[in-house]
Amino acid sequence: MIARVIVDVATNQTDRLFDYLIPAPFIDTILPGMRVVVPFGPRKVQGFVLEIGETSEFDIKKLKPIEELIDVEPPLTNELLDLSFWVKDQTLSFHIGVLKVMLPAAMRAKYKKEVHPHPDISIEDMSPHLKTFFKQHDSVLDWDELIKKGTDLERKLLMEGVKKQELRIIPIVGTGETKKKRNAVRPAFSKKELEQFKSSLTSQAKKQIDLVDYFISKPTEISVVELMETTQTSRSTINTLVQKGVLVQEEVEIRRDPYEGRKFERTEALPLTEEQRAALNPILNKMDKGEHETFLLRGVTGSGKTEVYLQAIDRALSLGKEAIMLVPEISLTPQMVKRFKERFGSEVAVLHSALSKGEKYDEWRRIRDKKVRVAVGARSAIFAPFENIGMIIIDEEHETSYKQEEAPRYHARDVAIKRGGYYKCPVILGSATPSLESFARAQKGVYHLLTMEKRVNNVQLPVVNIIDMREELKKGNRSMFSESLTEAMRSRLEKKEQMVLFLNRRGYSTFILCRDCGYVAQCPHCDISLTYHRTNQTLQCHYCNHIETPPTFCPSCEGDSIRFFGSGTQKVEEELQKVFPDIRVIRMDVDTTKRKGSHEKLLDRFGSGEGDVLLGTQMIAKGLDFPNITLVGILAADSMLHIPDFRSSERTFQLLTQVSGRAGRHEKAGEVIVQTYTPDHYSIVDVKQHDYVSFYQREMQLRKQAAYPPYYFLTLIHVSDTDLTNAIRVTEKICHYLRENLSPTTLIFGPAASSIPRIKDRYRYQCMIKYKVEPKMIKVLQEIIKTYQGEMARTDLSVLIDTNPYMMM
DNA sequence: AGCACGCCGACT
DNA sequence: GTCGGCGTGCTC
């Protein structure tokens, strides 16, 4: 018997199946989808068994046997294995990369090298330096750690030791899994025997008697910690009884429950509005018939999309099937989790980045072990290893975080539709502001469009006021708050209502500029300006972490007119305090939410009324639902509009609509104030009218003119090198090759310098492909990778291909 | 990616 | 003459 294995070596030459003999003990248990450790050349690596077969094209006598079988059950289902082929082809990724992304981080291979004293040599015979080294440390040392953290001398000693054969390096392939264990004890005796034992104890042994009494009344297993607490005894007393053989101590695996100790009250399905029912029915219909269809649910903010999702999932469960619900990382808030836990109780597993590796692993195993039937999570949860999926939902489907920006560059939306096809189940893409791609497909009838235009309980959409900041300047108002916004904030403070202020930039000042000569501090390694960080008084590069102290005189003209420009949330907070000295501000951005659980804490504080203002970046745009918010202020609506990306208008419209949606979701009416320097731009005007369709139509015209998606598909090839001329040369060759080999209707742009032409001293060039139908595309791109793989391995050259890119930089 | 094999320069 | 530089090629 032969196993065909994908090995954990991410290179072009090894991106294929390798055959291995299956040793007799594994023959009956080995299955496709299992992880193995195999010898590969001179070392050992982890691999995934994809196929089991009888024969090999390779010389059977030369096959090596599998070293180790890691799994008892295959972590990857047959469906996921099939899917992995599709994903790696579509995204031009290494197969191993796709297989790994399907598993929780804790299950990916860990490689380490252990440093041992050579077995034939006694420590005493080693060279004196090493002798002291091993005496100071444990006798088994981790090579990588020593190399990374050790001193130069230590490094030198180690190298010498290896050369002189005094040390041996043993590579270890680990699985990285850790199951949380706890010590527990249970009685080894029956009740009667315990009574007997008790009477043999002297009255001095009071604590032992307490323990025995406990087990007489409750003869079941209990964790040591819990036992100590309930009986007020110490570990040593328990140990004594273990020693005497009265109690048995065991390690019991426990599941890490990220939501431990939290009570979720069960809720029932809410009554649906007319619109909700009209949206839900066709979905249920398809589900009942066991047919696949992709639905695009466009519902304004507050129209009750979540309730539609919940009831759709409920139907899947009552049909005996499972459901996956994807939420953008940023809006996977405790509020959202709570809503799912309340409806589906212990049927829900939650997968998101705030969980520890171990917690994620445990939640993932609950899915694989069929302990739960609903998976809620961010992008990678689309690979939840269910085997009978009845419903897949992508909330906020327009969110760019569904596209993974490193290899494998997959889009969760595409994977969702692929899996939906496999399981013949409906897929819902939900959003108040669908991506143009999805809405265009719905218009063409590829997706089934469902619309919800009204908020539930007939709550009105907030009134949106657009403030022209150029007028404010003319009036002499140079602060970051317009008169209207200041007044609106004052009235909320008086009425004790809450508000949200949104600014798309964190930190303090974004750049420094010389007023005399226009000098802007630039990063020496990147073509980007440096950002001023007030906390440590430094200028920092956002791309390479270069740090320098801000100059007091202009390095260019030697004048003293250096000024800080642009403002972040930190500065807004200060300004707010100046205008309203008593205002209570809760600031939420990357800087204030770094610690685990701080996100939740800040929201709880705001929810309980501890703050008047929630001031934040992106992360406050979604999912917030507090009844007392009656004002939303958007400080710089056009900050996104000027990013060189064909989607910048779309992003602006989506973001403004999402943020606006935070206001007046309940009894109290909401108001939104949008500050902008471009009040006539359609992506801002259409927010005022809450008119998605109007925005869509205008934006589509521009996309058509400029030959962008949804009219064309895009592929972006990024070429970078420390050598500028070589980067250009390679990009030129690639463009030439594409023009020769793709159809004449396909548009090829390039070579063009990237919008940030240099990052970390690497020069960046691009080639953009726009196409409608191009059956040879994948083949041609594979050919390009093949052409440059050698040069990429040898030199600093890098060629990356992004099919369907979302980051144009 | 690692790692060994292999073919040319500066050293005991 | 050897030690070691990193170019080339392979891993079932």
Side-chain angles (χ1 to χ4, degrees):
Chain A
M1 293 280 274
I2 275 132
R4 300 196 182 95
V5 175
I6 293 285
V7 292
D8 186 12
V9 182
T11 64
N12 242 287
Q13 297 158 78
T14 53
D15 191 24
R16 57 188 179 84
L17 291 165
F18 285 85
D19 295 354
Y20 285 90
L21 297 171
I22 305 172
F26 305 153
I27 290 252
D28 296 326
T29 46
I30 195 165
L31 288 168
M34 285 182 174
R35 295 169 300 159
V36 288
V37 175
V38 291
F40 195 66
R43 65 214 162 109
K44 288 176 182 48
V45 295
Q46 199 179 92
F48 288 83
V49 178
L50 288 207
E51 295 166 11
I52 308 276
E54 297 290 334
T55 56
S56 173
E57 313 244 307
F58 201 74
D59 183 358
I60 280 225
K61 287 182 290 289
K62 283 187 191 158
L63 291 188
K64 293 179 182 175
I66 288 171
E67 179 103 0
E68 198 185 317
L69 186 57
I70 299 171
D71 298 299
V72 183
E73 299 278 341
L76 294 177
T77 64
N78 286 328
E79 180 246 337
L80 287 173
L81 293 181
D82 277 355
L83 183 66
S84 72
F85 282 89
W86 181 79
V87 175
K88 66 121 180 151
D89 285 339
Q90 291 300 307
T91 62
L92 296 132
S93 313
F94 299 126
H95 205 157
I96 186 66
V98 179
L99 295 168
K100 281 163 86 172
V101 87
M102 290 178 160
L103 291 182
M107 289 180 81
R108 293 171 205 160
K110 303 277 176 305
Y111 300 94
K112 59 174 184 178
K113 292 181 192 135
E114 288 180 354
V115 184
H116 295 259
H118 196 95
D120 298 342
I121 205 168
S122 98
I123 295 185
E124 296 309 315
D125 296 336
M126 282 162 96
S127 59
H129 292 305
L130 281 177
K131 202 156 60 181
T132 53
F133 197 70
F134 269 92
K135 279 196 177 147
Q136 273 172 23
H137 301 81
D138 288 331
S139 56
V140 178
L141 305 168
D142 186 273
W143 177 263
D144 292 325
E145 207 168 299
L146 289 170
I147 295 298
K148 212 171 21 172
K149 293 187 192 158
T151 62
D152 284 349
L153 178 70
E154 282 173 338
R155 267 192 284 272
K156 212 177 123 204
L157 291 176
L158 285 169
M159 303 285 192
E160 278 172 14
V162 174
K163 210 189 288 170
K164 286 198 229 154
Q165 301 232 321
E166 291 178 337
L167 295 178
R168 215 159 60 153
I169 308 293
I170 302 177
I172 307 278
V173 187
T175 60
E177 279 140 279
T178 55
K179 290 178 181 170
K180 197 174 175 178
K181 302 266 179 65
R182 68 174 179 193
N183 281 321
V185 285
R186 60 178 171 81
F189 293 175
S190 67
K191 222 171 194 175
K192 225 185 221 162
E193 288 168 315
L194 283 174
E195 298 275 11
Q196 229 168 18
F197 172 75
K198 186 182 158 187
S199 58
S200 79
L201 290 168
T202 63
S203 58
Q204 264 188 318
K206 201 172 165 307
K207 288 292 178 188
Q208 289 188 42
I209 292 171
D210 287 350
L211 281 172
V212 174
D213 276 338
Y214 172 86
F215 282 109
I216 289 170
S217 64
K218 245 187 137 208
T220 48
E221 189 170 78
I222 180 170
S223 84
V224 172
V225 178
E226 218 177 308
L227 181 63
M228 280 160 50
E229 253 169 48
T230 47
T231 59
Q232 288 299 303
T233 50
S234 66
R235 188 159 273 143
S236 71
T237 321
I238 297 170
N239 282 345
T240 312
L241 290 183
V242 172
Q243 225 108 77
K244 286 184 181 174
V246 181
L247 299 179
V248 184
Q249 184 168 336
E250 284 170 330
E251 283 210 322
V252 183
E253 189 204 327
I254 52 167
R255 184 178 82 81
R256 305 167 183 90
D257 182 357
Y259 300 96
E260 198 178 344
R262 289 250 295 272
K263 274 185 264 132
F264 296 103
E265 263 171 55
R266 281 305 270 265
T267 57
E268 296 297 319
L270 302 174
L272 296 181
T273 65
E274 209 44 53
E275 278 189 335
Q276 283 174 316
R277 199 185 316 281
L280 182 61
N281 278 338
I283 299 166
L284 298 184
N285 225 305
K286 280 284 165 184
M287 219 184 317
D288 291 344
K289 281 199 248 171
E291 285 174 13
H292 165 67
E293 177 155 36
T294 302
F295 294 91
L296 177 64
L297 174 59
R298 183 175 73 82
V300 298
T301 56
S303 60
K305 289 188 290 293
T306 310
E307 188 58 32
V308 174
Y309 303 151
L310 290 169
Q311 295 196 20
I313 291 172
D314 200 46
R315 176 66 62 95
L317 297 186
S318 60
L319 290 171
K321 298 184 176 183
E322 299 124 358
I324 299 176
M325 161 102 180
L326 252 47
V327 186
E329 189 71 71
I330 211 162
S331 69
L332 195 48
T333 57
Q335 271 186 346
M336 180 66 103
V337 171
K338 186 164 163 258
R339 223 163 146 195
F340 274 82
K341 291 249 177 186
E342 284 175 346
R343 190 67 62 85
F344 303 114
S346 56
E347 291 271 30
V348 185
V350 178
L351 296 163
H352 66 104
S353 67
L355 304 183
S356 72
K357 248 188 192 180
E359 285 170 338
K360 265 189 235 163
Y361 171 52
D362 285 4
E363 291 289 285
W364 186 89
R365 275 192 305 154
R366 293 209 300 150
I367 297 168
R368 188 70 188 99
D369 298 343
K370 309 212 158 37
K371 301 259 171 60
V372 296
R373 291 193 295 158
V374 181
V376 179
R379 180 178 59 231
S380 64
I382 197 56
F383 296 116
F386 285 131
E387 288 176 285
N388 188 17
I389 298 172
M391 182 79 247
I392 301 175
I393 296 164
I394 302 194
D395 188 28
E396 312 281 6
E397 71 87 30
H398 62 278
E399 271 295 310
T400 51
S401 66
Y402 287 126
K403 169 75 187 287
Q404 174 149 312
E405 287 298 344
E406 318 96 67
R409 296 183 166 73
Y410 70 95
H411 199 304
R413 192 203 291 141
D414 303 334
V415 178
I417 293 168
K418 188 76 181 166
R419 292 193 85 182
Y422 182 93
Y423 287 106
K424 302 197 174 18
C425 74
V427 173
I428 307 177
L429 310 178
S431 175
T433 52
S435 63
L436 286 225
E437 283 93 331
S438 293
F439 199 73
R441 269 178 212 157
Q443 296 284 302
K444 273 174 77 181
V446 181
Y447 300 161
H448 183 148
L449 182 64
L450 306 165
T451 311
M452 302 198 299
E453 295 277 14
K454 293 196 205 82
R455 284 183 153 186
V456 289
N457 303 324
N458 276 322
V459 172
Q460 293 302 300
L461 284 164
V463 175
V464 178
N465 293 311
I466 293 170
I467 307 298
D468 186 346
M469 291 305 275
R470 293 170 306 185
E471 294 297 321
E472 294 289 319
L473 268 180
K474 277 186 208 157
K475 280 191 270 177
N477 177 8
R478 309 198 57 187
S479 85
M480 51 177 70
F481 311 115
S482 60
E483 265 174 37
S484 321
L485 182 58
T486 313
E487 270 326 296
M489 289 196 289
R490 194 188 310 283
S491 87
R492 304 308 130 132
L493 285 173
E494 277 163 16
K495 284 192 271 184
K496 303 242 177 300
E497 291 174 351
Q498 290 177 298
M499 49 201 143
V500 167
L501 283 188
F502 176 84
L503 183 69
N504 204 14
R505 219 185 285 126
R506 68 188 176 98
Y508 202 79
S509 292
T510 40
F511 61 101
I512 69 166
L513 173 111
C514 171
R515 281 238 176 125
D516 293 341
C517 72
Y519 161 85
V520 175
Q522 295 268 124
C523 175
H525 308 288
C526 313
D527 292 331
I528 200 92
S529 55
L530 294 167
T531 306
Y532 177 60
H533 283 241
R534 191 168 209 224
T535 35
N536 48 8
Q537 310 254 345
T538 55
L539 288 173
Q540 277 175 234
C541 174
H542 187 77
Y543 290 88
C544 73
N545 296 324
H546 169 83
I547 294 179
E548 57 185 65
T549 46
T552 35
F553 292 94
C554 174
S556 167
C557 72
E558 294 176 2
D560 59 356
S561 303
I562 290 273
R563 296 287 183 275
F564 299 105
F565 283 90
S567 39
T569 44
Q570 217 181 322
K571 190 163 179 186
V572 174
E573 187 176 4
E574 269 184 35
E575 295 290 313
L576 272 174
Q577 306 282 3
K578 274 186 211 160
V579 184
F580 306 107
D582 296 328
I583 202 165
R584 297 167 304 160
V585 182
I586 293 178
R587 179 159 61 91
M588 244 175 89
D589 53 33
V590 185
D591 302 311
T592 63
T593 53
K594 263 181 202 148
R595 266 181 307 121
K596 196 181 167 183
S598 52
H599 192 267
E600 184 174 4
K601 232 176 254 164
L602 291 174
L603 285 179
D604 279 350
R605 278 178 50 203
F606 186 67
S608 65
E610 274 181 54
D612 304 307
V613 185
L614 184 66
L615 163 66
T617 53
Q618 296 276 27
M619 64 177 67
I620 63 167
K622 290 180 198 68
L624 295 184
D625 193 352
F626 294 112
N628 204 30
I629 300 176
T630 60
L631 174 68
V632 167
I634 296 162
L635 295 175
D638 27 26
S639 61
M640 271 184 129
L641 221 44
H642 309 301
I643 296 169
D645 184 321
F646 72 91
R647 287 190 179 88
S648 66
S649 298
E650 182 181 353
R651 299 233 172 100
T652 300
F653 178 80
Q654 285 163 344
L655 191 67
L656 297 188
T657 305
Q658 298 288 344
V659 183
S660 303
R662 300 310 110 211
R665 293 171 70 92
H666 298 266
E667 292 87 29
K668 294 173 188 165
E671 181 187 3
V672 179
I673 293 181
V674 178
Q675 299 188 158
T676 174
Y677 290 93
T678 49
D680 302 324
H681 193 281
Y682 62 99
S683 67
I684 289 171
V685 174
D686 287 333
V687 171
K688 182 180 169 71
Q689 306 302 331
H690 305 288
D691 196 344
Y692 174 80
V693 176
S694 158
F695 170 79
Y696 168 79
Q697 285 164 349
R698 296 205 221 194
E699 179 69 10
M700 283 295 269
Q701 281 175 14
L702 294 178
R703 299 285 180 94
K704 190 174 190 175
Q705 278 168 26
Y708 271 119
Y711 291 97
Y712 281 83
F713 292 108
L714 284 189
T715 287
L716 200 54
I717 303 179
H718 302 267
V719 179
S720 72
D721 200 327
T722 47
D723 179 348
L724 171 64
T725 40
N726 195 48
I728 299 172
R729 193 206 99 224
V730 169
T731 318
E732 257 165 11
K733 285 194 107 171
I734 288 174
C735 290
H736 179 75
Y737 180 79
L738 291 169
R739 289 188 177 106
E740 297 271 284
N741 288 279
L742 294 177
S743 58
T745 53
T746 293
L747 310 169
I748 293 148
F749 297 85
S754 175
S755 65
I756 302 174
R758 185 182 51 135
I759 293 180
K760 293 183 196 173
D761 292 319
R762 301 179 61 88
Y763 296 91
R764 308 165 72 243
Y765 273 76
Q766 291 181 336
C767 172
M768 187 185 281
I769 311 167
K770 296 177 174 177
Y771 64 101
K772 292 206 175 197
V773 191
E774 195 61 86
K776 286 182 294 185
M777 192 59 147
I778 297 288
K779 265 224 157 88
V780 168
L781 295 175
Q782 278 168 345
E783 200 54 43
I784 289 172
I785 301 233
K786 221 165 115 192
T787 310
Y788 292 100
Q789 54 168 313
E791 193 175 341
M792 280 161 65
R794 275 197 315 277
T795 72
D796 285 333
L797 175 72
S798 147
V799 178
L800 297 178
I801 299 183
D802 195 348
T803 55
N804 196 5
Y806 279 76
M807 288 256 299
M808 309 305 291
M809 300 194 316

